[in-house]
Amino acid sequence: MDALATPPATDAASPLEREVARRRTFAIISHPDAGKTTLTEKLLLFGGAIQLAGQVKAKAERRNTRSDWMAIERERGISVVTSVMTFEYEGLVYNLLDTPGHEDFSEDTYRTLTAVDSAVMVIDAAKGIEARTRKLFEVCRLRDIPILTFINKMDRETRDPFDLLDEIEKTLALDTAPVTWPIGRGRDFAGTFDLTRQRVRLIDPDGRHSPLSEPIDPSDTAAIAKLAPGVDAAATAEELALVRDACNPFDLAAFREGHLTPVFFGSALRNFGVGDLLDGLGANAPSPRAQQAAGRTVEASEPRMSAFVFKIQANMDPNHRDRIAFARLCSGKLTRGMKAKLVRTGKQMSLATPQFFFAQDRALAEEAYAGDVVGIPNHGSLRIGDTLTEGEELSFVGVPSFAPEILRRVKLADAMKAKKLKQALQEMAEEGVVQVFRPADGSPAMVGVVGPLQLDVLKNRLSAEYSLDIGFDSSEFQLARWVTCEDPKRLDEFATANRSGMAEDLDGDPVFLASSAFMIGYTGDRWPGIVFTDIKDVK
Ligand code: GDP
């Protein structure tokens, strides 16, 4: 199938359907250093950095949403927080959900991936598939998220492109379909051959998005040599013949089902190939997909607004101590000032100041549609996993919690502040900074994290925001598992018999703490019927 066979649906029936059809909500997954940040910048450039005409009152606030707002992040030069960037290009609205680069914050990344409809996988052409790319890919696969691949840094020494495709196919069990093919590489990288349109796009030395050539025959070495004088035209023609004979054609259905990835070659640094990638996203990536709620599936084009919270970010503006919940709209239209029901508590809340986020600024969202991500300022009423509706009792499923890999007891310097610490830990857990487990035996709270940097963030934030001086004690427990059982009585018996290892998580769900994987296996064998899990879907 032609890579550009499906122009965005603009002839849909209702205005809501039209708005939904023109949205693309996606994330970029990659290993650190592959070029995610550079690609993000270049994508935003295409969006003309970034006005949502007609929807946003241009009431940008001060420049306070830069993703390096946190001191620790600046110190370490890493991106800790997840944010969203919205831009419009050629009639489509793109919501790019940024994910933290450091693997210690992978929980944040996993949650963010529950809020996208597609992903771009960036691969360093010299390195191929790296560990973190692979892990994030697996998370996308769990949700059948369609993936486009951008093979970056073609302007440097690279591996053989066929080799790279082969590696994607073998290590990820994902079919590949090149959409463009590199002409030369490394110092000789001159541009790409567009396999769908049979035209050449050359690198612009000034980094502009250059136009396509007239159609040329891929076996016409003279024509290739004329367009790209520095490259080995015969070798390029040979490769193009091999691509035609050996590579998969693009197949929209296979892509949408997550079985096949269209592959683009380029250089983010030189702003090359980024436009083709964006065209690929626009033409083929799905518009907002239906979302699964407990009991029913919610279609994006349903008229009534629904949304779920996948991320909480506090103190983006230290002067205001505000807390922003990032909510992905799943259906309908959000209008500023509307009332929404917070399903967990049954309470109504007024969406007085929902916000859109751009690269550097935020602005009031007058209206937003399914697929959009809005920031909702609140003072602690919203939690990760929360569902907002126009009244319906609805709960989206699938924003997961992961069992921590490190457990520590919190040590408080000033025992008089125990109550304040309890409150602060509760808020940090609601924000997803750490997980908190309260032992059944009444001993001090334990915190659980995926990576040690999270502990640093917790310590810094408790000090800066709550004036609490804490340390961490190692714990006799190494692992935490949620425990469930079909028979509540049996679960009670289990909890009583194992009281010294039992704790409650933020939601009051029972957690079994163990000193080793062996202990979990051993206990499991003695308690048939009790299920131990390391992922909990937040309901
Ligand atoms: P991230 O860690 O994935 O966000 O990667 P960055 O975007 O920060 O890029 C890592 C390094 O690779 C930086 O020094 C970039 O300038 C460089 N880089 C990114 N894209 C390219 C590219 O296309 N070509 C070359 N030569 N360098 C690149």
Side-chain angles (χ1 to χ4, degrees):
M1 190 180 291
D2 186 319
L4 295 166
T6 39
T10 46
D11 52 354
S14 71
L16 173 61
E17 280 168 339
R18 268 203 300 279
E19 287 298 339
V20 170
R22 71 189 194 102
R23 274 159 170 80
R24 303 288 180 273
T25 300
F26 71 106
I28 299 178
I29 59 171
S30 63
H31 194 81
D33 262 2
K36 182 173 67 118
T37 310
T38 313
L39 180 63
T40 300
E41 278 169 21
K42 296 296 161 29
L43 285 168
L44 293 175
L45 269 181
F46 271 88
I50 24 199
Q51 270 301 327
L52 255 188
Q55 292 201 20
V56 172
K57 239 189 216 164
K59 196 177 173 186
E61 294 178 11
R62 276 172 300 128
R63 302 199 156 199
N64 52 13
T65 58
R66 294 171 31 149
S67 68
D68 63 353
W69 55 275
M70 227 159 131
I72 183 165
E73 189 183 17
R74 277 197 297 275
E75 276 165 26
R76 295 179 190 250
I78 52 171
S79 171
V80 176
V81 296
T82 308
S83 53
V84 52
M85 286 156 275
T86 297
F87 61 96
E88 195 166 331
Y89 177 64
E90 302 213 320
L92 299 182
V93 176
Y94 294 87
N95 296 305
L96 168 53
L97 276 54
D98 190 20
T99 52
H102 199 287
E103 68 178 330
D104 282 9
F105 301 100
S106 51
E107 254 197 289
D108 242 10
T109 301
Y110 298 155
R111 287 194 211 110
T112 297
L113 292 176
T114 65
V116 301
D117 302 302
S118 59
V120 170
M121 174 166 75
V122 181
I123 293 174
D124 182 327
K127 296 187 173 149
I129 301 284
E130 297 175 87
R132 196 157 153 68
T133 320
R134 187 175 173 154
K135 209 164 159 185
L136 293 171
F137 170 78
E138 295 301 340
V139 176
C140 291
R141 166 157 285 169
L142 278 177
R143 302 189 59 246
D144 296 325
I145 297 175
I147 302 214
L148 298 96
T149 300
F150 187 76
I151 299 192
N152 190 30
K153 305 195 187 183
M154 288 306 296
D155 59 322
R156 289 228 297 242
E157 281 309 302
T158 75
R159 285 171 47 187
D160 178 71
F162 288 106
D163 228 36
L164 290 165
L165 297 187
D166 194 50
E167 185 179 65
I168 296 171
E169 302 215 343
K170 293 228 167 78
T171 60
L172 305 182
L174 176 69
D175 288 342
T176 60
V179 177
T180 62
W181 193 260
I183 300 176
R185 32 197 176 269
R187 291 218 321 257
D188 300 331
F189 183 47
T192 49
F193 188 83
D194 187 313
L195 295 162
T196 316
R197 291 176 282 200
Q198 306 271 298
R199 293 164 190 255
V200 168
R201 195 188 302 282
L202 294 171
I203 293 191
D204 180 305
D206 298 325
R208 283 185 297 253
H209 183 48
S210 53
L212 286 167
S213 72
E214 290 304 306
I216 67 163
D217 178 342
S219 63
D220 185 346
T221 45
I224 296 172
K226 194 165 160 224
L227 278 169
V231 304
D232 183 342
T236 301
E238 229 170 82
E239 283 181 9
L240 290 172
L242 190 55
V243 169
R244 190 194 54 216
D245 293 343
C247 291
N248 302 304
F250 179 72
D251 177 333
L252 184 65
F255 163 63
R256 290 275 179 95
E257 286 161 15
H259 302 317
L260 173 140
T261 182
V263 180
F264 301 80
F265 291 87
S267 163
L269 189 65
R270 305 197 52 186
N271 194 23
F272 186 81
V274 181
D276 292 316
L277 174 70
L278 198 51
D279 286 344
L281 262 168
N284 298 313
S287 54
R289 308 196 299 174
Q291 299 281 333
Q292 193 58 45
R296 78 177 188 94
T297 303
V298 178
E299 297 293 335
S301 56
E302 290 180 21
R304 302 211 316 165
M305 192 282 297
S306 67
F308 69 85
V309 175
F310 64 93
K311 162 91 190 162
I312 306 263
Q313 204 162 296
N315 302 337
M316 292 176 75
D317 181 350
N319 299 323
H320 286 106
R321 272 194 149 248
D322 61 347
R323 189 157 149 175
I324 305 270
F326 287 87
R328 143 113 197 192
L329 265 69
C330 299
S331 64
K333 174 178 168 184
L334 178 152
T335 311
R336 185 160 84 87
M338 78 188 288
K339 294 248 185 317
K341 173 173 165 175
L342 171 55
V343 175
R344 178 172 49 80
T345 61
K347 291 206 176 107
Q348 292 278 333
M349 64 186 292
S350 169
L351 303 178
T353 52
Q355 299 172 5
F356 278 132
F357 289 78
F358 306 116
Q360 304 284 323
D361 296 308
R362 43 177 146 167
L364 282 179
E366 294 300 328
E367 47 192 43
Y369 295 88
D372 286 340
V373 171
V374 294
I376 304 173
N378 67 102
H379 296 289
S381 50
L382 290 172
R383 281 191 194 177
I384 287 170
D386 271 345
T387 298
L388 292 167
T389 68
E390 285 190 49
E392 187 179 347
E393 275 297 310
L394 191 72
S395 257
F396 288 104
V397 296
V399 182
S401 288
F402 296 86
E405 283 164 29
I406 300 171
L407 289 170
R408 291 282 182 272
R409 272 196 210 273
V410 178
K411 191 171 59 178
L412 185 61
D414 178 357
M416 301 295 286
K417 292 185 173 166
K419 205 168 152 201
K420 191 171 180 191
L421 175 67
K422 190 171 175 194
Q423 178 64 23
L425 285 177
Q426 172 85 9
E427 289 179 21
M428 293 289 107
E430 285 171 5
E431 245 187 76
V433 175
V434 291
Q435 292 181 48
V436 172
F437 302 106
R438 302 197 183 282
D441 64 9
S443 57
M446 318 255 308
V447 293
V449 294
V450 173
L453 270 179
Q454 281 177 276
L455 293 175
D456 294 357
V457 170
L458 176 67
K459 187 174 158 58
N460 281 17
R461 287 193 53 184
L462 289 183
S463 163
E465 297 164 29
Y466 299 88
S467 311
L468 284 168
D469 187 13
I470 61 148
F472 299 105
D473 277 337
S474 60
S475 145
E476 65 275 34
F477 300 116
Q478 304 289 336
L479 297 168
R481 292 289 180 270
W482 285 278
V483 281
T484 53
C485 183
E486 281 182 7
D487 175 5
K489 229 177 86 206
R490 185 155 173 79
L491 190 58
D492 277 349
E493 281 166 24
F494 175 82
T496 308
N498 293 282
R499 187 154 182 271
S500 63
M502 292 303 293
E504 274 186 0
D505 72 2
L506 179 68
D507 306 315
D509 288 330
V511 176
F512 177 66
L513 305 171
S515 55
S516 64
F518 172 81
M519 269 311 288
I520 293 175
Y522 176 76
T523 313
D525 287 346
R526 290 176 48 215
W527 288 89
I530 303 286
V531 181
F532 298 75
T533 52
D534 59 0
I535 297 181
K536 183 179 98 160
D537 262 359
V538 176
K539 297 270 160 40

